[in-house]
Amino acid sequence: MDLSHYGDLPKVSVILTTFNREYFFTEAIESLLEQDYPNLEIIISDDGSSDNTFVFACEYAQDYPHIKVFQNTRTKGSAGNRNNGIDNASGDLLILLDDDDLLFKEAISQMVEVYLKFEKKYGIIMANCTRSDDGFLSGEGLDESREITFQEVLSGKLQGEFITLFEKKLLGQRRFNENLTRGNMGLLWLRLHHHSPCYYLHKPLKFYRIHAESLTQKLKYNPLEMVKNYEQDILLFYRERKAVCPAHLAKLCAMAALLYRQGGNRKKAFKKILQSLSIYPNLLALRILVCLFLPDFFLPKLTFRLRIEK
């Protein structure tokens, strides 16, 4: 894609976080080397791999001066590894990429074109992804290219996986919460959307890989750990959500109640049920209330379909 008519192009840093995935990592880095965007920096943050991932990364850095490799010096885990990459990035615009995903050849240039076309009005540019298992779009809730309002983000309209280009200056001192084992990305995105208009490009620009190692169909983690994310999500912009999307806020409270119940904390589950029903009457909260003192067999099933963050 020819972007020469825009003059000086902003520097884009792609932060590729990796851990023990040498078999996917090579494909991911090759997809970045094939990008047609000229002003590009690739930041590889390794979370202490015990296979050859870090060795391969260093070999690439020797051959390509715009690749920089760092060991994660922050908290071990996906949040700390992303933060480590952000800390070492020098670009005006950032993209986060997992080591088992691929960017299509014109992904960066197409998102930057939108950014420049609207004269940098939108500090966040989002696009969709293609799922590897069925070929469908991984991001749901939107069916055309357009501006996304903060109210839409607040009400949970956007579901699934997207690829995002955003201005580094929006972060300030904000980083992903390293105390949360899951869900830390959504909380930071919500804060960024609150500070900048967002534009959605309705086309797939990332290959979102679904594979046996990455996907879990059931909870393989402690519900009382996951509920920490819901608690923070509920508190974040609580008044705004209660005013503009009470049904969504009530659902978040009901989900927190279910997780508390599955984790064996019936007292907190009961409090969350009452909070949910006081915000907006909903069937899920009532079901959990009925099942509160029944065996686990009667509980509503969680239907999360999540990739394991490495």
Side-chain angles (χ1 to χ4, degrees):
M1 178 175 291
D2 184 13
L3 298 175
S4 59
H5 57 287
Y6 286 109
D8 293 336
L9 297 176
K11 185 177 184 179
V12 175
S13 294
V14 178
I15 299 167
L16 177 60
T17 49
T18 187
F19 174 68
N20 281 351
R21 282 219 179 110
E22 59 184 63
Y23 41 94
F24 288 138
F25 167 79
T26 300
E27 291 186 64
I29 193 68
E30 288 290 342
S31 78
L32 297 181
L33 292 174
E34 292 175 357
Q35 292 298 304
D36 62 356
Y37 188 75
N39 195 6
L40 179 63
E41 172 186 69
I42 300 172
I43 300 293
I44 301 173
S45 184
D46 181 78
D47 203 19
S49 295
S50 58
D51 62 4
N52 292 313
T53 301
F54 185 71
V55 175
F56 291 165
C58 292
E59 290 176 352
Y60 273 104
Q62 290 178 349
D63 295 335
Y64 299 93
H66 66 300
I67 296 179
K68 300 176 183 178
V69 183
F70 300 91
Q71 288 275 21
N72 180 20
T73 59
R74 299 182 65 125
T75 304
K76 187 173 177 61
S78 59
N81 205 21
R82 290 186 182 111
N83 289 339
N84 185 66
I86 291 171
D87 291 343
N88 288 287
S90 62
D92 307 299
L93 302 170
L94 304 182
I95 296 175
L96 302 178
L97 185 69
D98 291 335
D99 55 6
D100 50 356
D101 293 332
L102 312 173
L103 287 189
F104 297 141
K105 184 176 181 178
E106 296 187 346
I108 297 175
S109 60
Q110 289 193 39
M111 286 191 286
V112 172
E113 183 183 33
V114 173
Y115 178 68
L116 297 177
K117 175 183 176 182
F118 291 100
E119 299 180 342
K120 305 181 182 180
K121 171 185 176 181
Y122 299 105
I124 305 172
I125 309 296
M126 299 177 63
N128 222 306
C129 314
T130 297
R131 291 179 59 100
S132 66
D133 56 348
D134 54 22
F136 294 138
L137 295 179
S138 62
E140 301 176 353
L142 299 165
D143 56 8
E144 62 178 343
S145 297
R146 64 172 176 83
E147 180 176 329
I148 303 171
T149 67
F150 178 61
Q151 181 173 331
E152 288 178 303
V153 179
L154 202 62
S155 61
K157 182 176 178 61
L158 283 69
Q159 299 290 328
E161 181 74 10
F162 297 87
I163 179 69
T164 305
L165 172 85
F166 62 98
E167 293 177 331
K168 185 180 181 181
K169 66 181 182 182
L170 291 177
L171 286 171
Q173 299 302 312
R174 300 182 190 90
R175 293 294 184 268
F176 294 107
N177 189 334
E178 297 177 20
N179 295 318
L180 296 177
T181 56
R182 288 194 179 274
N184 54 68
M185 290 194 71
L187 294 172
L188 183 57
W189 290 142
L190 195 57
R191 289 186 172 93
L192 296 188
H193 280 285
H194 186 242
H195 287 85
S196 172
C198 173
Y199 191 88
Y200 168 68
L201 186 60
H202 190 55
K203 61 173 58 177
L205 297 181
K206 184 178 83 171
F207 186 70
Y208 182 57
R209 197 191 301 269
I210 304 297
H211 53 91
E213 178 188 331
S214 70
L215 191 64
T216 177
Q217 297 284 3
K218 60 183 179 179
L219 287 175
K220 294 183 179 180
Y221 42 88
N222 188 339
L224 296 182
E225 284 297 315
M226 185 172 184
V227 78
K228 294 178 182 178
N229 171 67
Y230 276 89
E231 288 285 24
Q232 294 211 13
D233 202 0
I234 291 166
L235 291 174
L236 192 61
F237 303 113
Y238 181 87
R239 292 181 181 179
E240 292 89 338
R241 274 183 167 147
K242 193 171 182 179
V244 304
C245 52
H248 180 63
L249 180 59
K251 180 181 178 181
L252 292 176
C253 292
M255 292 298 293
L258 179 54
L259 288 166
Y260 276 127
R261 173 60 184 86
Q262 287 208 333
N265 194 327
R266 288 181 168 86
K267 184 176 180 180
K268 286 192 174 181
F270 183 65
K271 288 182 178 180
K272 280 297 166 187
I273 291 170
L274 294 182
Q275 183 181 9
S276 176
L277 293 173
S278 69
I279 295 170
Y280 193 87
N282 64 95
L283 182 60
L284 178 59
L286 291 173
R287 289 178 64 194
I288 300 169
L289 178 61
V290 171
C291 299
L292 192 59
F293 300 102
L294 296 176
D296 292 351
F297 175 80
F298 294 95
L299 285 172
K301 300 297 182 182
L302 291 175
T303 56
F304 300 122
R305 198 164 187 249
L306 302 170
R307 290 205 323 180
I308 298 172
E309 297 179 352
K310 298 191 71 175

